[in-house]
Amino acid sequence: MAFIEFRNVYMSYRQDLMQRAGYGRSAANRRRLSQRNAVAGRHRFRSGGDDGYALRDVSFGIDRNEFVFIIGPSGSGKTTLAKLLIREAYPCSGEVIIGRRNIHSMPRRYIPELRRKVGTVFQDFRLIPRRTVAENIAFALEIIGTRRSEIDLQVQNMLAMVGLRDRSDAMPDELSGGEQQRVVIARAMVGSPGILVADEPTGNLDPENALRVLQILSRINEQKTTVIVCTHDDTIVNLMQKRVIVIRDGVLTSDQRVAGYDMGADEPYSERGIFY
Amino acid sequence: MRRKRVRKSITFAMRWRAFLRSLRETFINILRHPFMVITSIVTVTFMLVLLGAFAVFSINADLIVRRAAQQPPIEIFSEPGLEKSRAEKIRLALEERDDVIDLRVLSPEENLEEFRRGLGEDGAKTLQYYNARYLPWSFIVRLSDPDPEQAAALAAQIRGVPGVAEVVYNSDLIAGLSNLSKTLLVVSAVIFVILSGVALFIISGTVRASVAARGEEIEIMKYLGATNSYIRIPYMLEGALIGFTGAVLGCTILILLWQRIYMHLMSGTAVTSFLALMPVKQMAPLLALITLPLGVLIGSIGSVVSMRRFVKV
């Protein structure tokens, strides 16, 4: 059994949209969803309809300490997959298993613990603007009540890892995009999570900074952390030569464990170099 | 089926440190947006002064109505020339009742004396040869509640005691005062609830603005694995602190105002009069008891209500 497993995961657009709009999985929202589906001629909220799936029967496994790229054009379902891993989104059906545990059937009170074990890196950084770099990184440990001396030590280690020791007192808006992304990685890794999910970590970066971020992610992976990178940038994928899972229109179309990924093989518009 | 236990990686010490940090966050938050906090405090103060003013009014009104209700006593007259031993039996029958808070027994001699005093000097002279033997004993009774049914029950019971000739009480007046007291209680409760609701609404609006301004930060906290309570505590404490400060201010204003009003209104009234208002010394603890818990409650509930949407993990 793989460390992380997606088993026959379905997710309707409608549910995805509602969850994005802030509707949770409460009984009232389930009723609301089923009512809307009933209006649309569908009987159960779990059936999104033929046209309505953000993810359709997605199944794959990821081993411990693996480095995996999930790639696909915009809107293909990469971000939804990443969200499913931190229970930010719920599947209509199917299971998402981390370490033998279906994370979507566990009680809500365990979500914070799950999120401490799955570090997340976002394309839009999401740093707290009024905190310094060091404070932003320390924040992840502060919220779980780590001792101050340990926080300081960990923060210094993380800053050294991402090469930002000299910028520890800078505010986020004083940093370049690449530097901000490195701070986000440091913040995600400071609690030593077993899994790191990066959603378009190089999306806003120039090639040089993108490469640097990938090198950091690779180093993190070497230190026994499972790394999952969702991206539409094929150049970085080829550069890293890791396992590549391709998602297209919510369907898993390819899972190559070979080194490198040949875009030309199944991408009609790969000449442009990127998915869009 | 046996349920697998999830290992908890956070110790008690860590929880305690996290709690202390959220306390620190509370004060940092307050310092970060002082205008918002001041606005909230002023709102709470205003609402509680309004609420407290109403409470002062209703406490005093209730006090006066209760006193007034006890003013018209029930008078029981015996047959004229009743022996002392039989009069004693009537007294015992009255004393046995729990609702009798005050009982004055006047012997025929005392009644005559009072009668003479009531007539003035000239009238008294005409009564100087009048014999008390032809006068009844009288029993003046005050009941604990201005309840007409209670008065009627007492009258019915006492009429059955041998030697009782007449029971006099003003049932309309007692009923009127009783109704007034009840109406006042209901109106007070309704206005109290409405004003509390309005205060809660205003506070939750103010806190909502402050929570919305930090919505992104809360979102980041959730992604990093902060528990709901860690996120909520600073806002709740902030709300409670705002509520408490507003309540202290409101209570102080009310007490000072009441002091002035009391001095002004009571300048020509005796403290023992049934129209006497509640003195500041008695009113102050009552006001504190109403406003302080209410302020803290409104503040913290207002915060929780306004941030529910943001803090759902």
Tab-separated table of all heavy atoms in Angstrom, chain B residues 188-239:
chain	number	residue	atom	x	y	z
B	188	SER	N	-39.933	45.548	31.161
B	188	SER	CA	-38.491	45.615	31.453
B	188	SER	C	-37.764	44.476	30.768
B	188	SER	O	-36.742	44.684	30.120
B	188	SER	CB	-38.225	45.496	32.951
B	188	SER	OG	-38.904	46.462	33.641
B	189	ALA	N	-38.305	43.266	30.897
B	189	ALA	CA	-37.650	42.095	30.316
B	189	ALA	C	-37.551	42.236	28.807
B	189	ALA	O	-36.495	41.992	28.208
B	189	ALA	CB	-38.412	40.833	30.695
B	190	VAL	N	-38.652	42.672	28.181
B	190	VAL	CA	-38.673	42.792	26.717
B	190	VAL	C	-37.653	43.842	26.263
B	190	VAL	O	-36.836	43.597	25.363
B	190	VAL	CB	-40.095	43.151	26.220
B	190	VAL	CG1	-40.076	43.538	24.752
B	190	VAL	CG2	-41.031	41.968	26.441
B	191	ILE	N	-37.697	45.008	26.894
B	191	ILE	CA	-36.773	46.076	26.494
B	191	ILE	C	-35.332	45.655	26.746
B	191	ILE	O	-34.445	45.908	25.936
B	191	ILE	CB	-37.111	47.401	27.225
B	191	ILE	CG1	-38.476	47.870	26.727
B	191	ILE	CG2	-36.039	48.453	26.988
B	191	ILE	CD1	-38.914	49.207	27.216
B	192	PHE	N	-35.116	44.940	27.838
B	192	PHE	CA	-33.783	44.458	28.176
B	192	PHE	C	-33.264	43.524	27.082
B	192	PHE	O	-32.136	43.668	26.609
B	192	PHE	CB	-33.875	43.709	29.514
B	192	PHE	CG	-32.569	43.581	30.216
B	192	PHE	CD1	-32.016	44.679	30.860
B	192	PHE	CD2	-31.894	42.379	30.245
B	192	PHE	CE1	-30.817	44.570	31.524
B	192	PHE	CE2	-30.688	42.267	30.911
B	192	PHE	CZ	-30.155	43.360	31.557
B	193	VAL	N	-34.117	42.613	26.659
B	193	VAL	CA	-33.715	41.655	25.618
B	193	VAL	C	-33.452	42.392	24.307
B	193	VAL	O	-32.448	42.151	23.622
B	193	VAL	CB	-34.803	40.564	25.435
B	193	VAL	CG1	-34.563	39.744	24.178
B	193	VAL	CG2	-34.845	39.652	26.648
B	194	ILE	N	-34.340	43.325	23.957
B	194	ILE	CA	-34.178	44.056	22.696
B	194	ILE	C	-32.861	44.853	22.716
B	194	ILE	O	-32.061	44.775	21.777
B	194	ILE	CB	-35.372	45.005	22.437
B	194	ILE	CG1	-36.625	44.163	22.142
B	194	ILE	CG2	-35.087	45.950	21.275
B	194	ILE	CD1	-37.906	44.967	22.046
B	195	LEU	N	-32.644	45.570	23.810
B	195	LEU	CA	-31.427	46.379	23.883
B	195	LEU	C	-30.175	45.500	23.863
B	195	LEU	O	-29.183	45.831	23.225
B	195	LEU	CB	-31.446	47.249	25.144
B	195	LEU	CG	-32.346	48.479	25.100
B	195	LEU	CD1	-32.260	49.242	26.411
B	195	LEU	CD2	-31.977	49.401	23.960
B	196	SER	N	-30.235	44.356	24.550
B	196	SER	CA	-29.087	43.435	24.534
B	196	SER	C	-28.844	42.943	23.106
B	196	SER	O	-27.706	42.856	22.654
B	196	SER	CB	-29.338	42.227	25.424
B	196	SER	OG	-29.572	42.632	26.724
B	197	GLY	N	-29.925	42.611	22.409
B	197	GLY	CA	-29.816	42.149	21.025
B	197	GLY	C	-29.185	43.208	20.138
B	197	GLY	O	-28.290	42.916	19.333
B	198	VAL	N	-29.638	44.450	20.305
B	198	VAL	CA	-29.093	45.556	19.494
B	198	VAL	C	-27.603	45.719	19.794
B	198	VAL	O	-26.776	45.853	18.882
B	198	VAL	CB	-29.866	46.868	19.780
B	198	VAL	CG1	-29.180	48.050	19.128
B	198	VAL	CG2	-31.289	46.760	19.282
B	199	ALA	N	-27.258	45.670	21.089
B	199	ALA	CA	-25.853	45.808	21.478
B	199	ALA	C	-25.023	44.688	20.864
B	199	ALA	O	-23.948	44.929	20.301
B	199	ALA	CB	-25.726	45.776	22.999
B	200	LEU	N	-25.555	43.476	20.915
B	200	LEU	CA	-24.861	42.319	20.349
B	200	LEU	C	-24.647	42.497	18.853
B	200	LEU	O	-23.570	42.238	18.322
B	200	LEU	CB	-25.703	41.074	20.620
B	200	LEU	CG	-25.008	39.738	20.449
B	200	LEU	CD1	-24.070	39.522	21.616
B	200	LEU	CD2	-26.014	38.611	20.411
B	201	PHE	N	-25.686	42.974	18.181
B	201	PHE	CA	-25.642	43.179	16.733
B	201	PHE	C	-24.562	44.199	16.368
B	201	PHE	O	-23.752	43.984	15.470
B	201	PHE	CB	-27.023	43.660	16.276
B	201	PHE	CG	-27.128	43.863	14.802
B	201	PHE	CD1	-27.201	42.775	13.949
B	201	PHE	CD2	-27.139	45.135	14.266
B	201	PHE	CE1	-27.288	42.953	12.590
B	201	PHE	CE2	-27.224	45.326	12.905
B	201	PHE	CZ	-27.306	44.234	12.055
B	202	ILE	N	-24.553	45.301	17.116
B	202	ILE	CA	-23.577	46.363	16.820
B	202	ILE	C	-22.158	45.871	17.090
B	202	ILE	O	-21.254	46.068	16.274
B	202	ILE	CB	-23.890	47.637	17.641
B	202	ILE	CG1	-25.215	48.230	17.146
B	202	ILE	CG2	-22.778	48.659	17.518
B	202	ILE	CD1	-25.732	49.375	17.967
B	203	ILE	N	-21.985	45.187	18.212
B	203	ILE	CA	-20.650	44.692	18.548
B	203	ILE	C	-20.183	43.666	17.529
B	203	ILE	O	-19.048	43.704	17.065
B	203	ILE	CB	-20.643	44.042	19.961
B	203	ILE	CG1	-20.846	45.107	21.009
B	203	ILE	CG2	-19.361	43.288	20.245
B	203	ILE	CD1	-19.858	46.215	20.961
B	204	SER	N	-21.084	42.751	17.148
B	204	SER	CA	-20.664	41.723	16.199
B	204	SER	C	-20.300	42.363	14.859
B	204	SER	O	-19.393	41.917	14.180
B	204	SER	CB	-21.727	40.645	16.043
B	204	SER	OG	-22.802	41.140	15.312
B	205	GLY	N	-21.004	43.453	14.499
B	205	GLY	CA	-20.673	44.178	13.271
B	205	GLY	C	-19.279	44.765	13.343
B	205	GLY	O	-18.490	44.655	12.396
B	206	THR	N	-18.967	45.351	14.477
B	206	THR	CA	-17.649	45.977	14.630
B	206	THR	C	-16.552	44.916	14.610
B	206	THR	O	-15.538	45.086	13.940
B	206	THR	CB	-17.582	46.736	15.978
B	206	THR	OG1	-18.813	47.386	16.182
B	206	THR	CG2	-16.467	47.734	15.997
B	207	VAL	N	-16.787	43.818	15.335
B	207	VAL	CA	-15.770	42.764	15.371
B	207	VAL	C	-15.642	42.112	13.991
B	207	VAL	O	-14.551	41.793	13.550
B	207	VAL	CB	-16.089	41.713	16.457
B	207	VAL	CG1	-15.078	40.586	16.444
B	207	VAL	CG2	-16.103	42.361	17.827
B	208	ARG	N	-16.781	41.997	13.299
B	208	ARG	CA	-16.756	41.389	11.964
B	208	ARG	C	-15.808	42.168	11.052
B	208	ARG	O	-15.041	41.598	10.293
B	208	ARG	CB	-18.158	41.374	11.372
B	208	ARG	CG	-18.288	40.467	10.150
B	208	ARG	CD	-19.638	40.695	9.532
B	208	ARG	NE	-20.690	40.471	10.536
B	208	ARG	CZ	-21.455	39.392	10.580
B	208	ARG	NH1	-21.288	38.462	9.688
B	208	ARG	NH2	-22.372	39.255	11.486
B	209	ALA	N	-15.882	43.489	11.162
B	209	ALA	CA	-15.004	44.315	10.339
B	209	ALA	C	-13.548	44.024	10.669
B	209	ALA	O	-12.710	43.900	9.767
B	209	ALA	CB	-15.324	45.784	10.578
B	210	SER	N	-13.266	43.872	11.958
B	210	SER	CA	-11.874	43.623	12.347
B	210	SER	C	-11.438	42.218	11.952
B	210	SER	O	-10.296	42.000	11.564
B	210	SER	CB	-11.696	43.890	13.849
B	210	SER	OG	-11.370	42.737	14.536
B	211	VAL	N	-12.361	41.256	12.014
B	211	VAL	CA	-12.026	39.886	11.601
B	211	VAL	C	-11.825	39.835	10.085
B	211	VAL	O	-10.881	39.213	9.595
B	211	VAL	CB	-13.129	38.891	12.030
B	211	VAL	CG1	-12.855	37.515	11.471
B	211	VAL	CG2	-13.214	38.808	13.536
B	212	ALA	N	-12.711	40.527	9.354
B	212	ALA	CA	-12.610	40.520	7.893
B	212	ALA	C	-11.281	41.120	7.451
B	212	ALA	O	-10.665	40.650	6.495
B	212	ALA	CB	-13.773	41.287	7.287
B	213	ALA	N	-10.838	42.158	8.180
B	213	ALA	CA	-9.573	42.795	7.831
B	213	ALA	C	-8.424	41.802	8.008
B	213	ALA	O	-7.380	41.927	7.377
B	213	ALA	CB	-9.356	44.016	8.713
B	214	ARG	N	-8.615	40.811	8.850
B	214	ARG	CA	-7.552	39.836	9.088
B	214	ARG	C	-7.931	38.461	8.551
B	214	ARG	O	-7.385	37.453	8.974
B	214	ARG	CB	-7.265	39.762	10.588
B	214	ARG	CG	-6.428	40.936	11.038
B	214	ARG	CD	-6.271	40.937	12.522
B	214	ARG	NE	-7.465	41.460	13.172
B	214	ARG	CZ	-7.661	41.431	14.476
B	214	ARG	NH1	-6.786	40.878	15.251
B	214	ARG	NH2	-8.740	41.951	14.996
B	215	GLY	N	-8.889	38.453	7.610
B	215	GLY	CA	-9.384	37.189	7.054
B	215	GLY	C	-8.273	36.360	6.432
B	215	GLY	O	-8.217	35.147	6.613
B	216	GLU	N	-7.363	37.042	5.724
B	216	GLU	CA	-6.299	36.308	5.033
B	216	GLU	C	-5.355	35.661	6.050
B	216	GLU	O	-4.916	34.527	5.874
B	216	GLU	CB	-5.541	37.262	4.118
B	216	GLU	CG	-4.886	36.512	2.975
B	216	GLU	CD	-3.950	37.383	2.173
B	216	GLU	OE1	-4.106	38.610	2.224
B	216	GLU	OE2	-3.051	36.809	1.531
B	217	GLU	N	-5.097	36.408	7.106
B	217	GLU	CA	-4.208	35.884	8.148
B	217	GLU	C	-4.827	34.641	8.798
B	217	GLU	O	-4.126	33.660	9.064
B	217	GLU	CB	-3.992	36.982	9.185
B	217	GLU	CG	-2.842	36.705	10.100
B	217	GLU	CD	-2.603	37.857	11.042
B	217	GLU	OE1	-2.689	39.012	10.580
B	217	GLU	OE2	-2.339	37.593	12.216
B	218	ILE	N	-6.126	34.713	9.019
B	218	ILE	CA	-6.824	33.568	9.614
B	218	ILE	C	-6.740	32.362	8.673
B	218	ILE	O	-6.498	31.240	9.094
B	218	ILE	CB	-8.296	33.935	9.923
B	218	ILE	CG1	-8.334	34.967	11.040
B	218	ILE	CG2	-9.103	32.707	10.325
B	218	ILE	CD1	-9.695	35.544	11.324
B	219	GLU	N	-6.889	32.661	7.385
B	219	GLU	CA	-6.797	31.612	6.358
B	219	GLU	C	-5.418	30.943	6.417
B	219	GLU	O	-5.308	29.722	6.413
B	219	GLU	CB	-7.004	32.282	4.991
B	219	GLU	CG	-7.310	31.345	3.878
B	219	GLU	CD	-8.793	30.947	3.874
B	219	GLU	OE1	-9.543	31.282	4.806
B	219	GLU	OE2	-9.165	30.290	2.941
B	220	ILE	N	-4.381	31.757	6.522
B	220	ILE	CA	-3.012	31.219	6.584
B	220	ILE	C	-2.839	30.379	7.843
B	220	ILE	O	-2.265	29.296	7.810
B	220	ILE	CB	-1.974	32.369	6.556
B	220	ILE	CG1	-2.042	33.103	5.212
B	220	ILE	CG2	-0.569	31.847	6.787
B	220	ILE	CD1	-1.337	34.431	5.185
B	221	MET	N	-3.385	30.879	8.951
B	221	MET	CA	-3.281	30.133	10.208
B	221	MET	C	-3.905	28.751	10.063
B	221	MET	O	-3.386	27.761	10.561
B	221	MET	CB	-3.988	30.903	11.336
B	221	MET	CG	-3.205	32.091	11.835
B	221	MET	SD	-4.264	33.163	12.784
B	221	MET	CE	-3.789	32.738	14.417
B	222	LYS	N	-5.051	28.694	9.358
B	222	LYS	CA	-5.731	27.415	9.183
B	222	LYS	C	-4.867	26.458	8.357
B	222	LYS	O	-4.765	25.286	8.662
B	222	LYS	CB	-7.090	27.622	8.493
B	222	LYS	CG	-8.108	28.226	9.419
B	222	LYS	CD	-9.516	28.094	8.913
B	222	LYS	CE	-9.751	28.701	7.574
B	222	LYS	NZ	-11.172	28.867	7.252
B	223	TYR	N	-4.244	27.002	7.291
B	223	TYR	CA	-3.397	26.154	6.448
B	223	TYR	C	-2.185	25.624	7.204
B	223	TYR	O	-1.666	24.568	6.901
B	223	TYR	CB	-2.918	26.920	5.207
B	223	TYR	CG	-3.955	26.999	4.132
B	223	TYR	CD1	-4.370	28.217	3.619
B	223	TYR	CD2	-4.520	25.840	3.616
B	223	TYR	CE1	-5.336	28.296	2.645
B	223	TYR	CE2	-5.481	25.894	2.632
B	223	TYR	CZ	-5.887	27.131	2.147
B	223	TYR	OH	-6.838	27.180	1.182
B	224	LEU	N	-1.739	26.397	8.195
B	224	LEU	CA	-0.553	25.978	8.943
B	224	LEU	C	-0.907	25.032	10.083
B	224	LEU	O	-0.036	24.586	10.808
B	224	LEU	CB	0.182	27.211	9.492
B	224	LEU	CG	0.802	28.129	8.434
B	224	LEU	CD1	1.405	29.348	9.082
B	224	LEU	CD2	1.862	27.391	7.630
B	225	GLY	N	-2.185	24.780	10.256
B	225	GLY	CA	-2.584	23.787	11.258
B	225	GLY	C	-2.972	24.373	12.595
B	225	GLY	O	-2.900	23.672	13.607
B	226	ALA	N	-3.359	25.654	12.619
B	226	ALA	CA	-3.829	26.238	13.881
B	226	ALA	C	-5.204	25.669	14.202
B	226	ALA	O	-6.022	25.485	13.294
B	226	ALA	CB	-3.901	27.750	13.766
B	227	THR	N	-5.439	25.391	15.463
B	227	THR	CA	-6.764	24.866	15.837
B	227	THR	C	-7.768	26.027	15.863
B	227	THR	O	-7.369	27.194	15.974
B	227	THR	CB	-6.725	24.231	17.235
B	227	THR	OG1	-6.201	25.194	18.129
B	227	THR	CG2	-5.863	22.992	17.268
B	228	ASN	N	-9.037	25.665	15.781
B	228	ASN	CA	-10.088	26.698	15.822
B	228	ASN	C	-9.979	27.533	17.078
B	228	ASN	O	-10.132	28.745	17.052
B	228	ASN	CB	-11.461	26.041	15.795
B	228	ASN	CG	-11.866	25.656	14.396
B	228	ASN	OD1	-11.239	26.099	13.430
B	228	ASN	ND2	-12.883	24.849	14.272
B	229	SER	N	-9.696	26.857	18.206
B	229	SER	CA	-9.666	27.601	19.468
B	229	SER	C	-8.496	28.582	19.480
B	229	SER	O	-8.619	29.694	19.994
B	229	SER	CB	-9.604	26.641	20.647
B	229	SER	OG	-8.475	25.826	20.535
B	230	TYR	N	-7.365	28.176	18.904
B	230	TYR	CA	-6.209	29.090	18.870
B	230	TYR	C	-6.567	30.356	18.093
B	230	TYR	O	-6.180	31.460	18.470
B	230	TYR	CB	-5.007	28.394	18.218
B	230	TYR	CG	-3.783	29.285	18.177
B	230	TYR	CD1	-2.905	29.326	19.258
B	230	TYR	CD2	-3.514	30.104	17.083
B	230	TYR	CE1	-1.802	30.148	19.247
B	230	TYR	CE2	-2.407	30.939	17.063
B	230	TYR	CZ	-1.548	30.947	18.147
B	230	TYR	OH	-0.461	31.784	18.128
B	231	ILE	N	-7.316	30.178	17.006
B	231	ILE	CA	-7.684	31.332	16.182
B	231	ILE	C	-8.747	32.158	16.901
B	231	ILE	O	-8.716	33.382	16.889
B	231	ILE	CB	-8.199	30.871	14.800
B	231	ILE	CG1	-7.108	30.069	14.076
B	231	ILE	CG2	-8.621	32.061	13.948
B	231	ILE	CD1	-7.574	29.363	12.824
B	232	ARG	N	-9.670	31.470	17.564
B	232	ARG	CA	-10.813	32.172	18.172
B	232	ARG	C	-10.451	32.935	19.436
B	232	ARG	O	-10.964	34.023	19.675
B	232	ARG	CB	-11.894	31.159	18.521
B	232	ARG	CG	-12.885	30.987	17.423
B	232	ARG	CD	-14.073	30.199	17.899
B	232	ARG	NE	-14.694	29.565	16.756
B	232	ARG	CZ	-14.999	28.290	16.692
B	232	ARG	NH1	-14.736	27.513	17.710
B	232	ARG	NH2	-15.555	27.797	15.621
B	233	ILE	N	-9.587	32.323	20.260
B	233	ILE	CA	-9.331	32.900	21.589
B	233	ILE	C	-8.970	34.391	21.550
B	233	ILE	O	-9.585	35.176	22.281
B	233	ILE	CB	-8.286	32.057	22.365
B	233	ILE	CG1	-8.959	30.786	22.876
B	233	ILE	CG2	-7.684	32.821	23.540
B	233	ILE	CD1	-8.007	29.772	23.471
B	234	PRO	N	-8.023	34.820	20.708
B	234	PRO	CA	-7.705	36.249	20.726
B	234	PRO	C	-8.906	37.137	20.419
B	234	PRO	O	-9.091	38.178	21.049
B	234	PRO	CB	-6.653	36.395	19.628
B	234	PRO	CG	-6.085	35.062	19.446
B	234	PRO	CD	-7.168	34.096	19.764
B	235	TYR	N	-9.742	36.700	19.486
B	235	TYR	CA	-10.907	37.516	19.126
B	235	TYR	C	-11.937	37.529	20.247
B	235	TYR	O	-12.541	38.553	20.547
B	235	TYR	CB	-11.534	36.999	17.829
B	235	TYR	CG	-10.649	37.230	16.654
B	235	TYR	CD1	-9.816	36.230	16.180
B	235	TYR	CD2	-10.600	38.466	16.017
B	235	TYR	CE1	-8.972	36.438	15.110
B	235	TYR	CE2	-9.770	38.686	14.943
B	235	TYR	CZ	-8.960	37.664	14.493
B	235	TYR	OH	-8.123	37.885	13.446
B	236	MET	N	-12.102	36.337	20.855
B	236	MET	CA	-13.058	36.249	21.954
B	236	MET	C	-12.622	37.115	23.122
B	236	MET	O	-13.407	37.858	23.701
B	236	MET	CB	-13.160	34.803	22.419
B	236	MET	CG	-14.386	34.109	21.935
B	236	MET	SD	-14.466	32.471	22.643
B	236	MET	CE	-15.031	32.844	24.278
B	237	LEU	N	-11.316	37.007	23.442
B	237	LEU	CA	-10.792	37.803	24.557
B	237	LEU	C	-10.874	39.286	24.233
B	237	LEU	O	-11.194	40.106	25.088
B	237	LEU	CB	-9.341	37.409	24.842
B	237	LEU	CG	-9.152	36.068	25.539
B	237	LEU	CD1	-7.675	35.751	25.690
B	237	LEU	CD2	-9.806	36.090	26.910
B	238	GLU	N	-10.576	39.588	22.981
B	238	GLU	CA	-10.660	40.991	22.552
B	238	GLU	C	-12.087	41.502	22.750
B	238	GLU	O	-12.298	42.579	23.315
B	238	GLU	CB	-10.258	41.080	21.079
B	238	GLU	CG	-10.118	42.496	20.580
B	238	GLU	CD	-9.781	42.520	19.099
B	238	GLU	OE1	-9.093	41.594	18.620
B	238	GLU	OE2	-10.216	43.457	18.427
B	239	GLY	N	-13.045	40.688	22.310
B	239	GLY	CA	-14.453	41.064	22.466
B	239	GLY	C	-14.830	41.216	23.924
B	239	GLY	O	-15.475	42.186	24.326
